[in-house]
Amino acid sequence: MTQTVRAADKKRLSFWQIWNMSFGFLGIQFGFALQNANVSRIFETLGGTEIALYWLAAPVTGLVVQPIIGYLSDRTWHPQLGRRRPFFLIGAILASAALFVMPNASVLWMAVGMLWILDTSINISMEPFRALVGDLLPSSQRTMGFATQTFFIGVGAVVASMLPYIFTNWIGVPNTAPEGMIPSSVKWSFYVGGIVFLAAVLWTVFKTEEYPPEDMEAFEEEKRNTSFSDGVRETFMGIFHMPKTMLQLAVVQFFSWFALFSMWIYTTSALTSHVYGTSDTTSALYNEGADWVGVCFAVYNGVSAIFALLLPFLAKATNRRITHLICLVLGGLGLISIYFITNPMMLLVSMVGVGIAWASILSMPYAILAGALPAKRMGYYMGVFNFFIVIPQIVAGAILGFMTDNLFGGQAIYSLVLGGCSMILGGFLTLIVKDVDEQLA
């Protein structure tokens, strides 16, 4: 795949080519899932009380990093590593290092700082993976490409979310520690995650080739005539020239990701208090509940991995918009149902709905969006699209703490119910989206 290929002439790739180009997401999701399932636990262990505020690190870094990385990767060509793979590699090295340091944080400010570094590094790797599907696959294979990424996201998240539980219950590593100390089960989980992150990304780097720019001479000329200030200006002003489909999807994304962020922030405190009846972070019962959060997250990611394989068939039987609507409604109902549960095992049923929604959130919007984007700016607009993931997370981080403390009486379970309602609303808003590929079919 070293020859120059026009967008209209892209060939269908084999199953194993799509597999190899997506495999790096296994490692990325290892880091992402460890972060989502354990960082609130780390913050609480180190005495943190403003959990939603600390979590603002994640969306803020994504807001800044992804469009910049997208812009840079659109204008990069390395003879051996291509356009997107240099960024896969840089992000993986930095994220793996952060995963080794994070669980050894001895004070709260250090843990919060490591979250900034870890999330920045994950974003450096993640954004070009989305653009790679648009670069290499024809329209007819894009749903499959994003669904395959979602499969690896699910598999990676299942194992990573389960790791503290596995280390404690299968290997005998302690899941409790003195006050202010991170349990050994969490530390070893992060170490394994650091190794897997780097190894999986290296697999994609070495097993995937990229198409060079369609006109190399024009590509090099544009690079020579573009200054750093031009790049900064274009990066942040281009949002005012987004395709119509992208703006329509932005509304759907807002309510979907507001729901997800409420889940990631408050599941630990909601389950330990509402289901397990404790908020004492040093107690065995609290840590049992926190470990079960990892199991719940593993289940929804496992469902996501399996359901991702069915998404292309469901989209073909209906269309991508209806598929996304159905999945988001099921996810919202799953979150709301947690309020009515007292038996921890029944939480796994709720996670089935969340997993179905997660599979679609990671696939359908990107498959719809790719058909509406100019090929030369695929990376940039995929990065800008991240605005509509991180803005709702910033809003959630800014208001959910206040709402939980002042409107919900400190009961985090109501923040999960609010998230479920938000996800259902996002599902019905999918009906306003224009799918360009659907209209051309």
Side-chain angles (χ1 to χ4, degrees), residues 268-278 338-342 411-414:
T268 297
S269 55
L271 266 60
T272 52
S273 60
H274 185 71
V275 179
Y276 285 82
T278 182
I338 295 174
Y339 175 82
F340 303 98
I341 291 174
T342 56
Q411 298 186 55
I413 186 64
Y414 291 109

Side-chain angles (χ1 to χ4, degrees), residues 68-86:
I68 292 175
I69 295 300
Y71 178 87
L72 292 175
S73 67
D74 282 343
R75 287 158 175 75
T76 295
W77 182 257
H78 187 278
Q80 283 75 46
L81 294 178
R83 171 177 288 165
R84 314 295 180 187
R85 288 176 292 161

Side-chain angles (χ1 to χ4, degrees), residues 9 18 123 159 161 221 223 267 271 334 349 353 375 402 412 417:
D9 297 332
I18 297 175
N123 276 297
V159 180
S161 298
E221 180 67 22
K223 285 176 59 178
T267 297
L271 266 60
V349 178
F402 174 84
V417 173

Side-chain angles (χ1 to χ4, degrees), residues 14-24 148 151-152 203-204:
S14 70
F15 169 81
W16 289 113
Q17 286 174 309
I18 297 175
W19 175 280
N20 289 336
M21 65 184 280
S22 304
F23 190 77
T148 304
F151 170 77
F152 282 118
W203 180 274
T204 291

Side-chain angles (χ1 to χ4, degrees), residues 199-346:
V201 170
L202 285 174
W203 180 274
T204 291
V205 168
F206 291 120
K207 292 288 186 176
T208 301
E209 296 183 15
E210 299 182 67
Y211 297 128
E214 294 180 13
D215 187 333
M216 184 64 76
E217 185 176 338
F219 175 80
E220 294 293 344
E221 180 67 22
E222 182 180 359
K223 285 176 59 178
R224 286 192 295 268
N225 294 331
T226 303
S227 67
F228 177 77
S229 60
D230 292 333
V232 172
R233 183 170 57 254
E234 184 176 347
T235 296
F236 291 100
M237 294 302 293
I239 61 175
F240 299 106
H241 305 286
M242 291 181 292
K244 184 177 180 180
T245 296
M246 191 170 175
L247 288 171
Q248 294 166 340
L249 283 169
V251 181
V252 177
Q253 292 288 86
F254 180 90
F255 291 102
S256 304
W257 284 89
F258 183 94
L260 291 171
F261 207 57
S262 69
M263 179 182 71
W264 292 331
I265 294 173
Y266 285 113
T267 297
T268 297
S269 55
L271 266 60
T272 52
S273 60
H274 185 71
V275 179
Y276 285 82
T278 182
S279 56
D280 180 4
T281 60
T282 63
S283 69
L285 189 59
Y286 174 91
N287 283 284
E288 179 184 341
D291 283 351
W292 195 248
V293 171
V295 175
C296 289
F297 280 22
V299 168
Y300 91 69
N301 280 289
V303 170
S304 171
I306 296 170
F307 195 78
L309 302 178
L310 303 178
L311 281 174
F313 302 101
L314 181 57
K316 185 176 182 180
T318 56
N319 58 56
R320 292 190 287 215
R321 295 179 300 117
I322 296 300
T323 296
H324 199 45
L325 185 159
I326 293 170
C327 293
L328 290 184
V329 169
L330 291 175
L333 293 175
L335 283 177
I336 293 170
S337 70
I338 295 174
Y339 175 82
F340 303 98
I341 291 174
T342 56
N343 182 347
M345 289 299 297
M346 291 302 297

